[in-house]
């Protein structure tokens, strides 16, 4: 049931690759709640995905942009405010990529050119996006900017590789830039630390099925789905959370506060 939480609000959604992606689910839920938005992704990612179907379903326009390019981001923000008819109320940053993970490189044996590329796409692009929004004064007061992250930013998940470092940097950017956005523009900036989710990108991580199974056993409420994350994001875009900012918010069924669960202990006992 829709409550029109976002009626009259407009924004940009980065990263809707296909129907498995959190950004895709978020776009659907934002649309259901009355929000309007421009969809964007890198041209190469758009060729791999089905973003045109999402645009048709939600009555949205697509503006391709490489999130590591200031020129592309400036064009994106200009086009989005033109298409939507004014300043923005929300932005979702849901992009991340590690060439080292894709190529099977170990964390202890990285190709540093690939490391830099992944860092730029996954983390610095968030700073660049907010830089453009800030300088163009493109956000309405009490607007909301959200980026997606993962708990590997705080704890060791060996096969998450350099993406863990990228997420830690992303979260720091949210706090640091969020201070200035809050003081100067009255705009909120938060990150959502989501359960391991079987997105197209997530499934590229070695042992990802094991990640999901372990987190499911550890979490009192079970893993949060992509739809759960989309709904949580909607609340952060809404006026119900006007003074929530600089936070890394866990949407993980309780996993982040667990030491061990009975289910995990039982699985070890069975092996003895």
């Amino acid at each position: 049931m829709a409550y029109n939480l976002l009626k009259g609000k407009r924004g940009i959604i980065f990263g809707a690759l296909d129907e498995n992606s959190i950004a895709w689910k978020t776009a659907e839920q934002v649309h259901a709640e009355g929000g309007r938005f421009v969809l964007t992704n890198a041209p190469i990612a758009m060729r791999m995905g089905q973003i045109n179907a999402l645009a048709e379903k939600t009555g949205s326009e697509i503006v391709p942009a490489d999130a590591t390019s200031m020129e592309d981001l400036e064009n994106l923000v200009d086009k989005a405010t033109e298409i939507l008819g004014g300043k923005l109320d929300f932005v979702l940053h849901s992009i991340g990529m590690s060439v080292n993970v894709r190529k099977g490189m170990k964390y202890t044996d990285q190709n540093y050119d690939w490391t830099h590329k992944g860092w730029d796409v996954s983390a610095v692009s968030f700073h660049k996006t907010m830089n453009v929004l800030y300088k163009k004064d493109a956000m309405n007061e009490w607007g909301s900017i959200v980026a997606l992250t993962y708990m590997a930013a705080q704890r060791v998940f060996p096969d998450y590789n350099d993406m863990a470092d990228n997420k830690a940097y992303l979260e720091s950017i949210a706090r640091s830039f969020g201070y200035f956005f809050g003081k100067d523009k009255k705009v909120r900036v938060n990150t959502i630390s989501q359960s391991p989710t079987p997105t197209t990108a997530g499934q590229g991580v070695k042992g990802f099925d094991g990640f999901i199974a372990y987190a499911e056993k550890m979490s009192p409420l079970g893993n949060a789905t992509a739809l759960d994350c989309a709904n949580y994001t909607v609340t952060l875009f809404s006026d119900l959370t006007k003074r929530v900012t600089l936070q890394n918010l866990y949407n993980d069924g309780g996993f982040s506060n667990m030491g061990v669960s009975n289910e995990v202990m039982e699985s070890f006992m069975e092996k003895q």
Side-chain angles (χ1 to χ4, degrees):
M1 186 169 90
Y3 297 93
N4 288 321
L5 288 176
L6 303 180
K7 186 176 182 180
K9 294 189 181 296
R10 52 203 173 205
I12 299 173
I13 295 178
F14 286 79
L17 180 66
D18 56 38
E19 60 185 8
N20 294 319
S21 70
I22 293 172
W24 185 292
K25 300 293 186 187
T26 302
E28 291 178 328
Q29 295 307 103
V30 169
H31 175 66
E33 292 293 342
R36 297 168 54 234
F37 47 84
V38 163
L39 295 165
T40 188
N41 212 326
I44 187 170
M46 290 175 63
R47 290 196 295 272
M48 294 165 54
Q50 300 103 40
I51 194 171
N52 289 323
L54 179 62
E56 184 175 349
K57 181 177 182 180
T58 59
S60 305
E61 292 194 35
I62 303 168
V63 179
D66 175 351
T68 67
S69 164
M70 293 295 286
E71 183 179 355
D72 279 15
L73 290 169
E74 288 168 358
N75 177 66
L76 169 64
V77 171
D78 288 343
K79 289 282 182 65
T81 53
E82 178 184 338
I83 291 166
L84 297 170
K87 291 186 180 184
L88 308 174
D89 300 292
F90 60 84
V91 173
L92 175 65
H93 181 283
S94 180
I95 54 178
M97 180 275 296
S98 167
V99 184
N100 284 306
V101 170
R102 288 183 182 176
K103 300 290 188 180
M105 298 294 289
K106 294 180 179 179
Y107 184 79
T108 53
D109 187 27
Q110 295 182 32
N111 177 314
Y112 291 111
D113 289 336
W114 296 347
T115 303
H116 186 271
K117 178 65 175 176
W119 172 72
D120 199 11
V121 171
S122 306
V124 183
S125 66
F126 190 42
H127 194 286
K128 291 177 179 178
T129 297
M130 287 197 284
N131 187 355
V132 172
L133 293 167
Y134 182 89
K135 288 182 176 177
K136 287 183 174 291
D137 195 26
M139 298 290 297
N140 279 318
E141 287 193 353
W142 305 112
S144 177
I145 301 171
V146 173
L148 299 185
T149 185
Y150 181 56
M151 201 175 68
Q154 288 83 35
R155 301 186 187 177
V156 177
F157 291 81
D159 290 328
Y160 204 62
N161 210 307
D162 58 330
M163 276 301 297
D165 302 333
N166 296 337
K167 291 300 187 184
Y169 198 86
L170 177 85
E171 291 175 17
S172 180
I173 288 169
R175 290 187 294 270
S176 298
F177 217 130
Y179 168 79
F180 294 102
F181 244 130
K183 289 291 291 183
D184 300 338
K185 311 285 187 180
K186 286 190 169 60
V187 171
R188 297 162 278 164
V189 181
N190 296 288
T191 54
I192 295 176
S193 188
Q194 168 71 3
S195 296
T197 309
T199 61
T200 300
Q203 291 175 30
V205 177
K206 180 184 176 184
F208 191 74
D209 290 344
F211 265 26
I212 291 179
Y214 173 71
E216 181 71 23
K217 285 187 175 184
M218 280 286 288
S219 307
L221 297 180
N223 288 331
T225 66
L227 180 58
D228 291 331
C229 189
N231 287 328
Y232 195 16
T233 304
V234 166
T235 68
L236 291 176
F237 286 168
S238 78
D239 291 337
L240 299 177
T241 53
K242 284 178 70 172
R243 284 184 170 80
V244 178
T245 195
L246 311 185
Q247 302 302 309
N248 181 45
L249 301 161
Y250 291 97
N251 186 52
D252 63 0
F255 180 90
S256 50
N257 272 326
M258 291 296 295
V260 71
S261 68
N262 288 336
E263 289 78 6
V264 169
M265 289 300 295
E266 287 168 2
S267 69
F268 282 109
M269 295 297 291
E270 291 168 1
K271 294 175 182 178
Q272 292 183 359

